[in-house]
Amino acid sequence: MPIEKPSGAKIRQDFIDFFVDKGHTFVPSSSLVPGGDQTLLFTNAGMVQFKDVFLGTDKRPYNRATNSQKCMRVAGKHNDLDEVGRDDTHHTFFEMLGNWSFGDYYKKEAIAWAWELLTDVWGLPKEDIYATCFKDELGEIPTDEEAAQAWRQQPGFNPNHVLFFGRKDNFWEMADVGPCGPSSEIHLDRGLQYCNMQDVTGHVCQVNGDCTRYLELWNLVFIQYNRLNEPRLEPLPARHVDTGMGFERIVSVLQDVDSNYKTDLFTPLLDKVQELTGDSDQARQEHLTPYRVIGDHSRAATFLIADGVVPGNTGRNYVCRMIIRRAARFGGKIGLKEPFLAKVAQCVIEDYGEFYPELKRNRETILNSITREEERFQRTLESGLAKLETTLARLKEAATSAQQQVEQAAESVSRPRLSGEQAFELYATYGLPLEITRDVAREYDLEVDEAGFQHAMEEHRLASGAGQAFGSLGGEDVEVYRELLSELQDQGKLGSEGVYYDPYTQLEVEGEVLALVRDGQSVHSAQLGERVEVLLPETGFYVASGGQVADTGSIVSISEPGWEIEVVDMRKPAAGMIVHVGEVRRGEPQVGDTAIARVDLQRRRDIMRNHTATHLLHAELQSVLGSHARQAGSLVAPDRLRFDFNHPKAVTPEELRRIEAGVNRHILGNYALKINFKPLQEAIDEGAMALFGEKYSTTVRTIAIAEDRTQVEPFSYELCGGTHVNETGDIGLFLITNEGSTAAGIRRIEAVTGRGAYELVQRRFQALDQAAAALTTTPENVPGKVGDLLEELSEAHRHIANLRREMASVEFIRQLDSVPMVAGVQVLTATLSGANADTLREMTDRFRQRYESGVAVLASLSDDNRPILVAAVTEDLTKRGLHAGKLVKHVAEQLGGGGGGRPTLAQAGGKDASRLEQALESVKPWVQDHLE
Ligand SMILES: [Zn+2]
Ligand SMILES: [Zn+2]
C-alpha cells in the first residue's frame, strides 16, 4: 500500500493515462441518457456506447479505447433503491473505468496490463490477487485455458490463485443471441478483518463467497463467440476485449477505507451536510443513513440534470424527482428544513467538474432545478407525511391487536401492509413518491403493496386520459399550477378566485399571457410547432363538462411581431386555474405579450344547438316513454349528440318517430330559454332535473324551456352548466340517426341538428336522386319501381333454378347410357352440379326406371359447399345383402358426415367436399364386398 493516499481524481486519471500510454484513445463518457437505445432507461455500463461496434453495425476511427463512464442504476435485484444509503456499497450513480479492444489485442495483453496497473502502478500486494476463469459446468463451451495460462505467466502471480467458475460468474452475454464470451474477474483478498461473517459458524471466506473479505475489482470480458441460438455458438472473426472496473470500489481499496462513503468521492459532500446540520461527529455517525442518502442522491441528481434530465413524473424525470425528494426527506429527519441540496450539489460540481465539464457548464440549471424541486416538495411534504404517519400508526395499532389475538389462537399472521390505493393517493395528492412512502413505512416496520400501487396508478392514468394529452399525472400538474397561481396572485395579476371564467357571454377576450406551460414546466416562450398551455387572466372557452366537449379556437397576439396559437383543448389542472391547450402555428409567443383569444364560433354554435336539443330530447323521451327514461350519460359534440337513458327495451320505430316529431315541434315553437342562477335546494324543490352522481355546488344554473311564456310549468327544466341557444328555433332541425343498446337497461340515441341535420338531409336527397336517375323514374316513384324490380328478380331466380335442374337431368341421362357393371350389377356413381336433394331423388327414380337391377349413388354440393348424397338400391339387390342406408353411411362417413334410410333409398350429408370424388369411388368395392 502506498503511504500517501491518492485522491479519487488521481486514481481516475492514472487509469486513463496508463491505457493511453498503451495506445488507447481516451473517449469521453457518454450521457447518462443513452442515445438511440430505447430499451435502456439509463446508461448502466461502459460498453453501452460501444454496443454498435460489438454488434458490427458501427466502426470507430480507433481500435483501442479507454474511458470513465457515468452510470446510473435504480432498479433490478442488485440495486434496489431501498438499499442505497443503508449500506456502504450501493449507489444510484457510479463511475465505471474501462479499456476496450475492437478486434485488436486480446487476452494476453489485457491480462498483462491489468496486472501491471494493479501491482506496479497502484502497488496492490501480488499475493492478495486472485483471478477467476471460465469453465463450463455443462461441458459445451471450451474451458478458457488461454486466459488461465496468461494469468499464470504474470510475474509474481501465485499460479494457485487461478480459480475456475461456470456460466453465472464467468460467461458474458449481451442478450439471448449475439456477441458473447468468457470473462476473467480479478478479486482482491482484503484480509480477515474485512470479513463481515466471522461470527457465523461454519463460514468460510472465499472468492465469489458470501462475505465482504474478497472484493471483485475488475471484470475482463473476452468477446470471441456469436450466439446463434441456445446451444449454438460460432467463433467471431474479430475478437474484442471489454473491461469494467467499479471506480468507487477501487478508490475505497487504494484509500484503504471500509466504505465507499469514506473515500474522498463522498467525504466533502458528507462534510457539507454536517456543516449544515451542525452535527457533532458522533451525531453524524448516528445518522449514517441520512448522510449517505443525501451524499449519493445529490451526486446522482447533479449528474442527471447536467445530462438534461429534469424532475418530473415519468421515466427518467421521475427518477430525478424521486431521488431529490428522498434526499430532502432524509434531510428533514436530521433537522434540515430549508432547501439545502443545492449546497451539496455545489460541492459535487466542484469535485467532479474538472473531469466532467458538463457539470460546470450547467451549474445554474442544476442548482435551480434541485432547489425548485425541493421547494415544490416541501410545500406538500408536511401535510403528506402527517397523513402517511397517521395512516401507518393506525395500521400498526390494528396489526398489533390482531397479532395479540392471533398469538392466543397460536396462528401466524402476515405483516400488515399499506394498501396500493393509499400509497397512490399520497402520491397523487401530496406528491409523495412510492419510494419515500416505502422508506417511511419501513420505519414503522410495515410494508407497502407495491403491485397495488402500480395498479392504482394505471387505473388513474386510464381514468384521467393522461398519456394522450400531456402524459402527466394530476399530482405534478397540481403543484406546478398551484405555484403559478400563488405567484400571479401575489403579483396582483390574478384575483383570489383565479382565472375568470365566462363561457356564456364572452367568446372573445383580450388579455396578457400570464404563463406558458410546456411538458409540465413553466416556460418563458414557446417555439413554432410546440404544444403548450396558455394561461390568460380570463377566458370564454368552455372547459369540457356535463358531456359537452371543450371549445377550440385561436389565440393571436395583437403586438408585433405577431404569433398565433391554435387552441385544441381546454384544461382545469388545479382549482382556479384554466388553461388553453394549443399548438404554436406562427411566431414565438412570450409571457407578457397581449393577445386576443377567440372561440371558434361556428363550432361553438353547433355545440349549443346539440346541447339544447339534448334537453328537448330528454323531455320528449320522458313524455313518450315514461318518467323512467332518465339521462344515464351524454355527449354533446359539434357534429352530433349522443344520449343514454334508462329504458328496459328497444324503442320502437313508431316511438322514435313520435320522439323526433316532438322535438321538432318544440324547435318550430321557437321557445326562449330561461337561464337562472339559484340555490340548489330551491331548484330541486321546483322540480329541476338533477343527475344522480353529479356534484353540484350550493348555487346552480338552471335551464328552463316552456311552450308559453306565461306558463308556470316548463316542459324541460334541468340543472346545467352548458352553453345553449337563445331560442329553440336556433336548432333548425333535429334528426335521430341511430337507436341501440349500450348496457342492460340502458338505450342510446344518436342525433344531429342544425348544419349536421342539413348535411344529412342533403346526403339522403342526393342518394335518392341518384337512385331515381338509375331507375329512370322520379324520386317519388323509386319505392314502386324498386318493388317491381325485386319481383322480376325473384322470378328470374326461379327460372334459373329450373334451368339448373334441367341441365342436371340432361347430364344424368347422358351418364345413364354408360353405367359400368360390378359383379354383374349396374353401379352408377355421379355428381350432378346444381341439383338439390329432391332432384337427386328424382334422378334415382329415373335410374330405377331404366335398370331393373342396380345401385346408384348420386351427389351434389349444397350452396354452402357441403356434399349431399342419395343412394338407391333396386328391390332385388336388397335380398342379396345390399342396403342403401348402409351404403350411403359408408360414403358419408368418409366426408365427415352421416345419414341413413330405407334399404332401397337413403340420404346423407357430409362436410368435406374435397374428398367427394374419392368417396364415390369407394362405392364399387363396397358393392363387390357386400353382394351375396
Ligand atoms: Zn468471510
Ligand atoms: Zn345540459
Side-chain angles (χ1 to χ4, degrees), residues 499 501 534-536 539 543 570-573 576-580:
V499 175
Y501 178 54
V534 187
L535 183 69
L536 299 171
T539 186
V543 181
M570 294 296 294
R571 236 159 57 84
K572 207 169 180 175
M577 292 300 260
I578 296 171
V579 292
H580 306 76

Side-chain angles (χ1 to χ4, degrees), residues 195 197 203-205 211 213:
C195 172
M197 296 181 71
H203 168 72
V204 179
C205 299
C211 74
R213 173 172 166 179

